[in-house]
Amino acid sequence: MVLDALGRKCPIPIIMVAERIREVPVGEVIAVKADDVAARTDIPAWCRMKSQDFVREEPLLHGWAFHIRRNY
């Protein structure tokens, strides 16, 4: 699953992930596209707080894609 949060300010990308992560099977990866620089720290922090795996940050032409593996 890919969530497009481009053009949205934090905490909206985090809210989008929190609302949709249950749709992703355990062990699978969700990608969040965001261009708000705060997402670079907020998304990994959310993963730590919620015991989800932050897999990687991928640079895009505009913003980044943050890959999160669902643990539970």
Side-chain angles (χ1 to χ4, degrees):
M1 174 184 296
V2 176
L3 299 179
D4 186 353
L6 294 170
R8 298 175 185 238
K9 299 291 182 194
C10 276
I12 299 303
I14 302 248
I15 292 168
M16 292 172 71
V17 173
E19 289 177 347
R20 306 280 308 271
I21 195 150
R22 290 186 182 96
E23 297 174 27
V24 177
V26 172
E28 294 295 316
V29 174
I30 184 171
V32 184
K33 293 181 181 180
D35 53 4
D36 181 1
V37 71
R40 297 184 80 191
T41 54
D42 290 353
I43 291 177
W46 180 88
C47 290
R48 286 190 301 276
M49 288 181 356
K50 297 298 182 178
S51 299
Q52 304 296 348
D53 285 337
F54 181 74
V55 178
R56 73 179 185 276
E57 174 186 310
E58 174 186 356
L60 302 174
L61 187 58
H62 299 286
W64 306 270
F66 303 96
H67 300 267
I68 302 165
R69 180 174 289 111
R70 182 178 175 199
N71 283 332
Y72 63 91

